[in-house]
Structures are given as C-alpha cells and as structure tokens.
Amino acid sequence: MSQTTLGDDELFGEAAAEMRDDVEEHLAATRAELPDADEVWETDADNVLGVLNGLRSALDVGEAEEHLRQAKKWYTMGERADAFEDAADLAAAIEDLDVLIETIRDAHDDVSDLTNAVPELRGSLEGLGEDEAEDGAEDEDEAEE
C-alpha cells in the first residue's frame, strides 16, 4: 500500500468521524429546539382561548426542522460514501425525530383551527342567547296587548 493511500484512508476515517459528529450535533440541536413536555401540558390561562393560544405557542418547533434537515443531509452523505460502520442508531433517531416533529406540527395545526373556531362559536352562542331574549321580549309584548 502506498503512502498516499494510507494518508487517504486516514483522512477518510477522520472525515467519517466528523460527519457522524455533525449528524449527532444536529440531532441534539433538534431535540433542544422541541417543546418541553411541561410547556405543552401546563397552563396559566384564565379561559379556553388563552389555553389554546398558550398551547399553540408551546407547540412551536423553532429551528428543529432545520437542524433535522442538516442531520439528514450529513447522514445521507455519510451513507452514500459508506463512511459509517454502523449508523442504525442515527437512522432510527432521524426517523423518530421526523415523526415527532410531524406529530407536533399536526397538533399545532389542530390547535390553530380550534383557536379560530372557539371565538366564532362563542359569538354564535352569545348571538343565540340574544335572539332568545329578543323573542321572549316580543312574546311578552304580544301577551300584554
């Protein structure tokens, strides 16, 4: 084996280790950006709309998607270059985080829909109460005549 090949192998090994480190760092950054379980569960709101607004804010994934994208990019490069000896743990972590982020995004969308629907529902219910009060007043007026 020539000296150049040995040097190339060492460089490739270093590059592979750096790629794995990059993937792991981006996975850690992804996890750090995800909402804390207590933020999603606990609330200090006084009404339903406050709860929904707080939950919607808590379900923000921040830069998690971008960090996961970077992890996927470096993982894909490492896999295609056959740089990883065993990357099953990285693939599983990427998949788990991908599913979790999608679940959080779906929940965020559902909460956003409710945040828009609840005030409309309240307004409709209040309008219904006002209509009933007006109907009752009209019935009393008719009865007095």
Side-chain angles (χ1 to χ4, degrees), residues 13-140:
E14 285 180 32
E18 288 175 9
M19 261 191 250
R20 183 175 185 89
D21 288 344
D22 282 345
V23 173
E24 289 172 349
E25 286 174 17
H26 284 293
L27 290 174
T30 300
R31 288 182 195 99
E33 285 289 320
L34 293 176
D36 182 74
D38 289 340
E39 291 175 0
V40 173
W41 191 253
E42 296 175 3
T43 186
D44 292 328
D46 295 330
N47 58 44
V48 172
L49 189 56
V51 169
L52 292 172
N53 281 325
L55 182 56
R56 182 174 55 184
S57 294
L59 292 172
D60 182 11
V61 294
E63 296 293 319
E65 290 175 298
E66 181 56 30
H67 287 295
L68 185 59
R69 183 180 180 286
Q70 292 298 319
K72 286 178 180 180
K73 178 174 71 174
W74 289 111
Y75 174 80
T76 301
M77 287 186 60
E79 277 293 295
R80 287 189 181 167
D82 199 25
F84 302 133
E85 289 181 25
D86 181 24
D89 60 326
L90 297 177
I94 288 170
E95 178 65 24
D96 290 347
L97 287 169
D98 207 18
V99 168
L100 181 56
I101 288 173
E102 185 63 31
T103 300
I104 293 169
R105 291 192 62 166
D106 288 347
H108 183 274
D109 292 345
D110 291 344
V111 171
S112 292
D113 290 345
L114 280 172
T115 302
N116 293 329
V118 167
E120 291 175 19
L121 178 59
R122 180 180 183 210
S124 295
L125 292 171
E126 287 176 339
L128 179 65
E130 291 170 6
D131 290 344
E132 286 180 3
E134 288 174 11
D135 289 344
E138 288 175 11
D139 291 343
E140 287 179 19

